[in-house]
Amino acid sequence: MHPPHAWRLLAAALLALLLGLGSASAWAQDAPYDAVQRQTQAGDWAAALAQAEAWLAQHPADAQMRFLRAVALQRQGQTEAAQAAFTALTQEHPELPEPHNNLAVLHAAAGRLAEAQQALEQALRLHPHYAIAWRNLGDVQLQRAAESYRRALQHAPHAAGLAQRLQTVEALLAPAAAR
C-alpha cells in the first residue's frame, strides 16, 4: 500500500470510529476524545499519545481512547506498538469493526495482504455497511491482483494484454496526487 494512501485510509477509519463507536460509560462526557483527535489531525502525535495515555491510566478499559492511542502510535511510526494495540482491541472487543479495519491497514502497509484481507472481511462481517472497510478491501484485492499479474509476467513476459492489465491496476492504486 502506498504510504500516503495508507494514511488517508487511516484518517477515514478514525473518523468512522469517532462517529460510530461512542462510549456508553459514565465518564464519556469528560473524556478528552476531541482534544486527542484534534492533536492527531494536527500532527501533534506525541501530545495526543500523552493525553490518551494519561486518560487510560485512570480508565484502562476505555476502548475508544485505546483506539485513539493506537492511532497516535501508528502516526508516530510506532507500527509494532500500534499493531499490538489494535490486536488487543480485536481480542478484547471482537464486536468492534474499526480495530479490525485499522489492523488491516497496518498489515497491508507491511505487504501482508492475506492478513489484511482477513481482517477486513472480519470487519465487514461485524458491520456489513462499513464503507471504509469495503474500500480498503477493494484496495487490498487490487494489490493482490497486481501481485498476481507481476508473477504472471515473470513466467510469460510476452503474454497478450498482461502488461496492460498490470498497468491499469497499478494506476488505480497510485495515490490521488499522482493521477
Side-chain angles (χ1 to χ4, degrees):
M1 185 174 289
H2 298 286
H5 187 63
W7 292 124
R8 190 176 25 172
L9 294 176
L10 178 63
L14 176 60
L15 178 60
L17 172 83
L18 293 174
L19 293 176
L21 181 61
S23 175
S25 66
W27 63 75
Q29 292 83 5
D30 298 329
Y33 303 126
D34 290 340
V36 172
Q37 180 186 9
R38 279 191 306 274
Q39 290 164 334
T40 300
Q41 290 174 342
D44 193 356
W45 305 309
L49 184 58
Q51 191 161 9
E53 288 179 346
W55 177 260
L56 288 169
Q58 299 298 316
H59 308 91
D62 185 338
Q64 185 173 352
M65 188 59 74
R66 288 175 60 202
F67 180 87
L68 292 172
R69 176 185 173 273
V71 170
L73 287 168
Q74 184 177 6
R75 299 295 291 265
Q76 274 192 313
Q78 297 184 43
T79 305
E80 289 180 19
Q83 182 174 334
F86 287 130
T87 299
L89 280 168
T90 64
Q91 293 168 349
E92 296 169 29
H93 297 280
E95 74 282 4
L96 299 176
E98 293 84 358
H100 292 280
N101 179 70
N102 286 66
L103 187 57
V105 170
L106 289 172
H107 288 316
R112 298 184 304 266
L113 299 178
E115 291 176 62
Q117 185 165 338
Q118 289 173 347
L120 289 165
E121 289 171 350
Q122 179 60 25
L124 291 166
R125 277 190 290 277
L126 294 168
H127 184 22
H129 303 290
Y130 192 3
I132 294 166
W134 280 113
R135 184 184 66 200
N136 290 347
L137 180 59
D139 287 345
V140 166
Q141 290 172 335
L142 283 171
Q143 288 177 40
R144 293 186 87 181
E147 193 174 85
S148 293
Y149 289 141
R150 280 188 212 95
R151 287 187 183 150
L153 278 169
Q154 288 175 346
H155 299 290
H158 302 293
L162 198 51
Q164 178 62 36
R165 286 181 183 196
L166 176 58
Q167 185 178 20
T168 300
V169 170
E170 287 176 337
L172 289 172
L173 288 170
R179 290 185 200 165

